[in-house]
Amino acid sequence: MNRIWIFISISVLFCQCSDASYFKDIIAADYSNCTDASISLRTSDSFDGMIDGVYYIVRIDRRTGKIEKDYRIYPPMDSTMFLRLSIEEQREDEINRHIPLDKSELNRIYSLMKILRCIDAESVAVDKNCNVHLSFKRKDCEYALIRVQPGYSLDDVKERFHCQEDYVLYKDNWYVHKECKECKGR
């Protein structure tokens, strides 16, 4: 078993896909204003995620970076009935169920957007305890990083963020999983 971990660790070292200064920015980012929230890039001007367990979508003005529209969307009471509706009726139903985000929620989303842009990530998620999961592409590699707060195990945090990949300790309480096209490794 130890040989497998040694092999994985050596593979990570020899697969020269990482950028230490880039990781430094990720580790240095302040995630404390983003608890119990996530964000993912949908298009060049829209993001979606979960905040306090509720799905949301925001659209931004690309020139200013300010949120133009925000939607907190609650699921329909009866999903089978919802699926029977026409596309137009589904859209109308979604509009009727959406509630604008409040100022504190918008502030958390702005904090997540700032982190997402600063580190050029595809998604960032922070749980109630400030454990962090993020994914991004860099060079020809796909990365996933997890920060594990004291009092939690890597397995606890992987389960929280629905991660099944193998992670290796990168630094302090940060763990990395990566897949690279040219080295086909982690």
Side-chain angles (χ1 to χ4, degrees):
M1 185 68 170
N2 286 338
R3 289 181 184 178
I4 293 171
W5 284 110
I6 292 170
F7 176 75
I8 290 172
S9 297
I10 290 171
S11 296
V12 169
L13 292 173
F14 284 106
C15 182
Q16 297 297 316
C17 301
S18 66
D19 182 351
S21 64
Y22 183 70
F23 279 19
K24 198 183 286 186
D25 292 340
I26 291 170
I27 291 169
D30 180 13
Y31 300 93
S32 62
N33 294 330
C34 310
T35 57
D36 204 16
S38 66
I39 192 167
S40 296
L41 182 64
R42 292 181 70 184
T43 65
S44 61
D45 67 346
S46 68
F47 301 88
D48 70 350
M50 299 290 283
I51 193 156
D52 299 328
V54 178
Y55 179 71
Y56 74 86
I57 300 171
V58 293
R59 296 200 188 291
I60 62 163
D61 178 326
R62 281 191 233 165
R63 290 176 291 119
T64 64
K66 301 249 188 234
I67 294 175
E68 292 179 327
K69 296 180 182 175
D70 60 272
Y71 309 91
R72 179 180 3 184
I73 301 175
Y74 288 93
M77 296 295 268
D78 181 357
S79 59
T80 56
M81 177 66 107
F82 179 76
L83 293 175
R84 288 189 211 135
L85 299 174
S86 69
I87 298 292
E88 295 80 24
E89 290 170 322
Q90 286 180 6
R91 286 187 185 135
E92 185 179 326
D93 183 65
E94 285 178 353
I95 290 168
N96 292 335
R97 283 184 285 107
H98 101 272
I99 298 171
L101 297 163
D102 65 32
K103 189 172 179 116
S104 82
E105 292 168 330
L106 287 171
N107 286 337
R108 282 193 280 169
I109 292 170
Y110 272 121
S111 293
L112 283 168
M113 285 171 46
K114 183 178 175 185
I115 291 169
L116 201 71
R117 287 186 180 139
C118 176
I119 62 177
D120 195 26
E122 294 175 359
S123 68
V124 178
V126 183
D127 71 8
K128 292 181 219 176
N129 305 303
C130 224
N131 293 303
V132 176
H133 176 266
L134 37 81
S135 62
F136 56 93
K137 292 179 183 169
R138 190 81 172 149
K139 300 178 183 171
D140 285 332
C141 298
E142 292 182 17
Y143 291 89
L145 260 75
I146 289 180
R147 179 176 75 182
V148 178
Q149 290 290 69
Y152 296 89
S153 71
L154 176 60
D155 288 336
D156 292 337
V157 178
K158 282 174 55 175
E159 183 177 324
R160 166 73 180 100
F161 293 118
H162 310 289
C163 301
Q164 296 178 11
E165 301 89 359
D166 291 326
Y167 285 78
V168 293
L169 182 63
Y170 173 70
K171 184 178 181 180
D172 299 328
N173 56 347
W174 285 91
Y175 295 82
V176 65
H177 169 80
K178 74 177 178 179
E179 293 183 15
C180 304
K181 288 181 183 175
E182 68 269 357
C183 59
K184 301 285 185 201
R186 289 177 182 66

